[in-house]
Every structure is written in C-alpha cells, then in structure tokens.
Amino acid sequence: MIKKICKWALASAVIALAINVHASDSVKVGVILSTTGPAASLGIPERNTISLLPTTLGDRKVEYIMLDDETDPGVAGRNARRLIEQEKVDVIIGSTAVPTSIAAAEVAAENQTVTISLAPYIPTENQHPWTFPLPQTVAVMSESLFADMAKQGIKRLAYIGFSDNWGQAWLADIDRHLIKHGLELVATERYARSDRSVAGQILRVLGSRPDAVLIGASGTPGVLPMSTLRERGFKGVIYQTHGMANQDVLRLAGSSAEGMILPTGAVLVAELLPENHPSKRQATEFVKSYESRHGEGSRNNFAAYAYDAYLLLNDAVKRIDGSIKPGTPAFRNALRDKIENTHELAVSHGVVSWGVNQRSAFDARGAVLITVKDGNWALVE
C-alpha cells in the first residue's frame, strides 16, 4: 500500500512539474515588427517605442523578445511560430502591416495565444477569439474623410490603392459612402507596395476627371501616387488613409504633401487637442517621452500604437489573479478574457473598449482629421 502511495505521489509530482515547467513570474511578450522592407517607416518607430516601455506589466516583470518580419507575411508567420513554440511567449504584439499581421495572427490563434496587432483589419472566425487589432478600423476613420468630401462638395472620386488587404479594405469601404454622400466613383486603380512607378494608373485616374483622389496606402509607398498626381498637374483634393500619418511620409513627399487630408489618432496633434479630449493626457505624455529620446518632431502614430498595446496589456495584467502564473495556458486564457472585457480605457489614440463579439477597439473618439500646411501637420477646421 505504501509503495502504491509513493508511486502515486511521484506520478503526481511529475505531472505537476510538467504543468508548471514553463510557469514564470515574468510575462514574456513576443514582438513582431516590420523594421525592414516596404513597411519599415512604420515598424522602426514601433521598435523605438518598445525600448521606452517600463520593465513591468501590472506588478509583474516583463521580458520583450523582438523579431523583424521584413514586411514579409511568410517571415511573420515563422516568427510567430518561433515565439510561441521556442520562446514560450504569453502574448504577441504585431505585426506592422496588414498582411504580416494576418499571417502572425493565424499562427497565434492556432496555438491559442493572444495577438495585439498594430495594423487594422477584421479577424477571421478562426482568429477571432485570440486576435485584437488595435489601430482604428477603416470604417471608423473613413467617416471623417467622407464627411469632409461632402463639406467640400466633392462629386467625382477616383481611387488608387495597394493591391493587398489594406487597399481592398478601403476600396470596399467606399461603396457604403457613395449614395450617402452623393459620390460617383469614376476610376479604380491598384498598385503593389514595392512598385517604383504608377504612371499608367495615374494617367487613367486623371483621364476620369475626378474632383478628388483617395489613396488607399500606408507608409512611404503611399507617397508615389500622390507625388505622381502633383507632377501631372492634378489640382484637386488628395485624401490619404491614417496609414500615412508619419514624419517619414512628410520628408519624402515634400511639397506634394501640401493640402493632403487624412484621418489620424490624437498623437500627431496632441498639443492642439482640447483639454477635455479623453486622450489629451496619454497623448501628450507619450509625445514627451518619445521626443525626449528621439528628438523634437519625431512623434509617430505607429510608435504610439505600440505604446497603446502596452497600456492595454498593463491594464489587463493588473486584473489577472496573482495566483495565475505567466507561461501557462491559464494565464493566456485569463489575458484573453481580460482584454476582451476592456471598457473605456483611455490611451494615446482614443478610448479602447472591446467585447466578446467586437474586434474594433476605437469609436469616433479615435479619429481626428488633419492636413499638411507649410510642411507640418495641422487640424482641419
């Protein structure tokens, strides 16, 4: 009988050891960013933010493991698998672009690991329980753009956008605004992020005689159609997406950026926000921290998305029972549940709320309409 008890106790100890072998007092956060490739102008500021983050989440220590996906979905998927299977991370932040984020989310969902994406898209059914895309959705941001078109009396709209998920998302969104705002879509063109010329597409756009052109792009590759339009003498309004709101775009675009109109979060114009704006404090605190390290004027929406991912995780981890250890399925499940029940959390871009059937973090409070005047960002009156 004693031998049986000893054997049972030994077996129980082995099982307990197996369950807790990866348990830790530190939260492991995998970070997948596009710090090289076409989306590098977005990924590098995000990387800069990670280096500024506190060394704790809630009252627990945190370890960040950062990998570059080269703006390649295949690499992003492999990075996610490495972080989950080899590094045993509790959560993944990333990636930077929509295609790479989707690739990482597929692997993470398959392995029941939370992903906080820094690119906006709608998760698939398979991804949904574990995937939280943080940036403002196309639907949230487009409302302010199309309201401005109505205000300016735009009737004929042309579109040119990426030939990927991001470009398709904006093209699909246009349809719901056409009748509402009395618009006619007179041209639709697509191009790849890596293209070096869009001359043919722009000639067709100009041939349609638009009052305005909406460019469905992000980062520095979005400058190409805009500069080509201006070089060809287009005098109408150019609208861009929130994927273009960064300083590298301004530097590369030069005078062709003057007058472009785009939606953004609060960070780029933090000082211009009214005092009662819910993100005024978080946005100005982030700008102060980021620019003290990287120089005046270096603020960046994408850097701030990484900061907001930290604020979201910090809030969620605080609410997890202290007896649940990182490195375990129980912790990953608890983290997912706490993020899913986040309500009215003020961050630098707006106010975040989620729910069981919701995968859009921000509402209209996450959108500010801006333009470029004399080479600098300004609020649209």
Side-chain angles (χ1 to χ4, degrees):
M1 181 67 178
I2 293 175
K3 285 184 178 181
K4 286 184 178 180
I5 292 173
C6 290
K7 286 182 180 180
W8 178 86
L10 179 60
S12 298
V14 170
I15 292 170
L17 180 62
I19 292 173
N20 292 290
V21 68
H22 298 303
S24 168
D25 290 328
S26 296
V27 181
K28 272 194 171 184
V29 179
V31 183
I32 303 173
L33 303 175
S34 302
T35 55
T36 59
S41 68
L42 316 181
I44 291 172
E46 293 167 348
R47 181 186 66 191
N48 292 343
T49 295
I50 300 300
S51 67
L52 295 173
L53 296 180
T55 57
T56 58
L57 281 172
D59 58 356
R60 305 177 195 241
K61 294 179 180 179
V62 61
E63 177 185 355
Y64 295 99
I65 304 167
M66 189 156 41
L67 300 175
D68 173 25
D69 63 27
E70 305 168 24
T71 322
D72 182 324
V75 176
R78 290 193 293 275
N79 282 351
R81 197 166 298 281
R82 170 184 164 185
L83 289 170
I84 294 167
E85 295 180 356
Q86 298 179 30
E87 303 294 346
K88 309 298 181 184
V89 299
D90 297 293
V91 58
I92 291 175
I93 296 175
S95 173
T96 301
V98 171
T100 50
S101 291
I102 291 173
E106 280 290 333
V107 175
E110 173 190 319
N111 289 274
Q112 298 188 335
T113 301
V114 168
T115 301
I116 300 174
S117 172
L118 304 182
Y121 67 98
I122 304 300
T124 65
E125 283 298 315
N126 289 338
Q127 298 165 355
H128 180 82
W130 296 94
T131 307
F132 298 86
L134 186 55
Q136 299 90 333
T137 63
V138 169
V140 166
M141 289 306 210
S142 68
E143 289 294 337
S144 57
L145 278 188
F146 285 94
D148 188 76
M149 292 181 199
K151 181 180 177 181
Q152 296 207 44
I154 303 297
K155 296 298 181 185
R156 296 174 61 83
L157 176 68
Y159 175 80
I160 177 170
F162 286 157
S163 54
D164 63 16
N165 308 76
W166 184 238
Q168 184 58 37
W170 276 91
L171 180 58
D173 185 77
I174 290 174
D175 283 342
R176 69 188 184 92
H177 294 283
L178 293 179
I179 295 176
K180 178 181 177 181
H181 295 290
L183 289 166
E184 180 185 1
L185 184 61
V186 296
T188 300
E189 297 290 337
R190 309 295 289 274
Y191 74 107
R193 292 173 185 255
S194 56
D195 283 353
R196 296 188 177 184
S197 173
V198 289
Q201 294 98 315
I202 295 303
L203 283 175
R204 290 189 289 273
V205 164
L206 293 175
S208 70
R209 297 179 293 107
D211 301 321
V213 178
L214 171 57
I215 301 173
S218 63
T220 52
V223 172
L224 180 60
M226 180 168 65
S227 60
T228 307
L229 280 165
R230 293 310 189 199
E231 288 166 4
R232 298 282 179 170
F234 181 65
K235 302 297 184 184
V237 184
I238 295 178
Y239 292 97
Q240 292 270 16
T241 78
H242 51 304
M244 295 292 287
N246 72 83
Q247 294 300 116
D248 282 343
V249 165
L250 286 188
R251 282 190 287 269
L252 181 61
S255 61
S256 71
E258 282 293 308
M260 76 169 176
I261 296 175
L262 65 157
T264 183
V267 171
L268 286 190
V269 287
E271 298 87 347
L272 303 179
L273 296 173
E275 290 302 318
N276 63 351
H277 192 285
S279 290
K280 177 80 172 185
R281 180 177 64 83
Q282 288 80 0
T284 52
E285 285 179 358
F286 172 73
V287 167
K288 182 178 179 181
S289 174
Y290 191 87
E291 293 193 349
S292 67
R293 175 76 66 88
H294 298 287
E296 186 177 352
S298 61
R299 71 187 69 185
N300 184 281
N301 271 353
F302 297 89
Y305 287 135
Y307 178 64
D308 288 349
Y310 164 78
L311 293 178
L312 179 65
L313 279 175
N314 188 58
D315 176 73
V317 171
K318 280 181 181 178
R319 293 183 281 123
I320 295 176
D321 190 296
S323 65
I324 303 176
K325 295 295 185 181
T328 64
F331 186 85
R332 293 195 295 275
N333 281 320
L335 183 61
R336 180 202 60 199
D337 293 344
K338 297 305 182 185
I339 292 175
E340 196 167 62
N341 286 285
T342 299
H343 182 66
E344 292 288 299
L345 175 67
V347 297
S348 72
H349 274 287
V351 179
V352 170
S353 293
W354 258 303
V356 174
N357 296 312
Q358 180 184 346
R359 282 298 181 272
S360 175
F362 293 100
D363 57 21
R365 292 171 292 179
V368 178
L369 202 61
I370 62 172
T371 186
V372 179
K373 289 184 179 179
D374 300 322
N376 292 308
W377 305 112
L379 287 174
V380 170
E381 297 299 329

